[in-house]
């Protein structure tokens, strides 16, 4: 090989390695360079994340949002919120449309195949939302026999609904707000929801009721980021540690619960 050819060859090798190096750069660096972090969430899950009119403006609020704000603040960047269907969150993360998911998401082994999770920051107990008029009729899980059950698509609640023995039908919708409408309009009879979400919807819809019926299941929730970004996961865990230590998460939950009931 001539000197010139060797030079060109070496140049090509360097270029290939630097491109590969760039694509492997931790997302944390990109976020800091961009000066903002983009949150993906499904804002139909009070008190975690929900729409609320404040000062005449529609806003997305909730304890997940406060956690996301604290993460952005610790990173020294702006927070941008994208509200989407829960079933679309993992694809949005894989497609680089969002930087992280804070949406009451349970770190299931199945999901952990495609994304990385932070530590768990909350545990939800799966319960039900029904019509108040049915409160005397639906008192145990067995009473769900022959009834139409609703759940949000692509959630652990979908799995629970599918496991209810003798259910007449399982209706899956992308947004919980639509399921709540179906319940109010007598199109379904019960929605599988975590306790705080069921209570929040019952508070804001006087015709609905959150009975003391539990599926006896505890599901943790965590924050998801695209695979292979250990520095971003570490930064998020540090903020979570700080919030847990300072008792802030409980504070955020109490505030969001109040806000959801107003
Ligand atoms: N914890 C459940 C899951 O991960 C439901 C989460 C739904 N979140 C929402 N914002 N609607 O499957």
């Amino acid at each position: 090989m001539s000197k010139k050819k060797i030079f060109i060859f070496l140049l090509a090798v360097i270029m290939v390695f630097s491109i590969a190096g760039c694509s492997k750069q931790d997302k944390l660096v990109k976020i800091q360079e961009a000066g903002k972090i983009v949150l993906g969430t499904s804002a139909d899950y009070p008190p975690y994340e929900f729409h609320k009119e404040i000062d005449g403006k529609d806003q997305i609020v909730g304890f997940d949002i406060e956690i996301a704000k604290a993460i952005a603040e610790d990173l020294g960047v702006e927070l941008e919120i994208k509200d989407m269907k829960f079933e679309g969150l993992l694809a949005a993360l894989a497609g680089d449309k969002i930087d992280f998911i804070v949406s009451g998401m349970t770190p299931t082994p199945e999901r952990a195949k495609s994304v990385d999770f932070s530590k768990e920051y909350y545990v939800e107990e799966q319960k039900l939302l029904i019509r108040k008029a049915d409160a005397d009729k639906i008192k145990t899980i067995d009473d769900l026999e022959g009834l139409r059950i609703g759940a949000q698509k692509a959630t652990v609640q979908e799995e629970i609904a599918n496991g209810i023995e003798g259910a007449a039908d399982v209706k899956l919708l992308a947004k919980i707000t639509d399921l709540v409408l179906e319940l109010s309009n007598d199109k379904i009879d019960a929605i599988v929801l975590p306790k705080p979400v069921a209570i929040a919807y019952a508070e804001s819809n006087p015709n609905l009721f959150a009975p003391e019926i539990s599926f006896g299941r505890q599901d943790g929730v965590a924050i998801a980021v695209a695979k292979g970004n250990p520095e971003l996961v570490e930064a998020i865990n540090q903020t979570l540690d700080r919030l847990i230590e300072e008792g802030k998460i409980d504070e955020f939950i109490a505030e969001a619960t109040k806000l959801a009931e107003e």
Side-chain angles (χ1 to χ4, degrees):
M1 254 197 271
S2 71
K3 264 193 184 162
K4 196 173 165 195
K5 274 192 183 151
I6 291 175
F7 177 73
I8 290 172
F9 174 74
L10 285 179
L11 204 65
V13 169
I14 290 168
M15 275 171 70
V16 166
F17 273 98
S18 54
I19 289 167
C22 273
S23 64
K24 272 212 226 91
Q25 195 178 56
D26 200 284
K27 196 75 180 264
L28 178 65
V29 180
K30 276 204 282 181
I31 289 163
Q32 276 163 339
E33 276 169 11
K36 74 167 183 192
I37 185 164
V38 183
L39 166 71
T41 194
S42 174
D44 58 356
Y45 213 52
Y48 299 62
E49 48 266 337
F50 54 105
H51 286 264
K52 172 107 196 163
E53 197 174 304
I54 297 170
D55 301 329
K57 260 200 353 222
D58 175 60
Q59 297 191 24
I60 295 174
V61 296
F63 71 83
D64 274 351
I65 305 301
E66 292 307 312
I67 292 171
K69 277 188 196 160
I71 290 166
E73 202 178 295
D74 285 354
L75 293 176
V77 298
E78 293 284 309
L79 177 70
E80 185 185 319
I81 305 175
K82 283 196 184 161
D83 182 18
M84 48 184 86
K85 293 174 179 168
F86 188 81
E87 61 180 315
L89 287 169
L90 294 181
L93 196 57
D96 220 15
K97 304 262 189 304
I98 53 176
D99 297 316
F100 67 147
I101 299 169
V102 192
S103 197
M105 185 176 271
T106 303
T108 63
E110 190 55 35
R111 288 173 181 153
K113 286 182 196 160
S114 62
V115 297
D116 286 337
F117 282 104
S118 71
K119 61 172 55 184
E120 293 184 3
Y121 59 89
Y122 186 70
V123 177
E124 56 187 31
E125 186 190 353
Q126 307 302 344
K127 302 194 102 177
L128 284 169
L129 182 66
I130 61 173
R131 281 180 299 277
K132 200 172 256 168
D134 288 341
D136 291 334
K137 207 173 89 187
I138 305 173
K139 295 207 133 133
T140 69
I141 302 274
D142 291 341
D143 295 334
L144 296 173
E145 206 184 309
L147 299 186
R148 301 157 301 174
I149 314 297
Q152 185 170 34
K153 239 186 234 173
T155 60
V156 303
Q157 287 86 1
E158 167 180 342
E159 204 181 294
I160 294 169
N162 281 328
I164 296 173
E165 269 178 59
D169 186 34
V170 174
K171 182 154 202 172
L172 303 173
L173 294 179
K175 281 284 179 183
I176 295 169
T177 40
D178 290 327
L179 286 165
V180 170
L181 278 180
E182 298 267 298
L183 180 62
S184 291
N185 295 333
D186 225 332
K187 299 274 189 336
I188 54 175
D189 304 304
I191 310 174
V192 182
L193 285 174
K195 183 175 182 178
V197 181
I199 290 174
Y201 276 111
E203 290 279 346
S204 52
N205 297 273
N207 64 322
L208 302 182
F209 180 66
E212 279 303 324
I213 303 172
S214 173
F215 288 95
R217 246 184 90 141
Q218 308 274 332
D219 295 284
V221 298
I223 295 172
V225 306
K227 269 218 170 299
N229 296 288
E231 290 174 31
L232 180 56
V233 175
E234 177 54 28
I236 288 172
N237 279 336
Q238 269 178 26
T239 298
L240 288 177
D241 279 339
R242 174 174 74 77
L243 295 176
I244 292 165
E245 205 172 295
E246 292 172 357
K248 285 275 183 207
I249 303 224
D250 292 331
E251 220 173 88
F252 291 164
I253 293 171
E255 281 167 16
T257 304
K258 238 178 76 196
L259 207 57
E261 283 170 7
E262 274 169 9

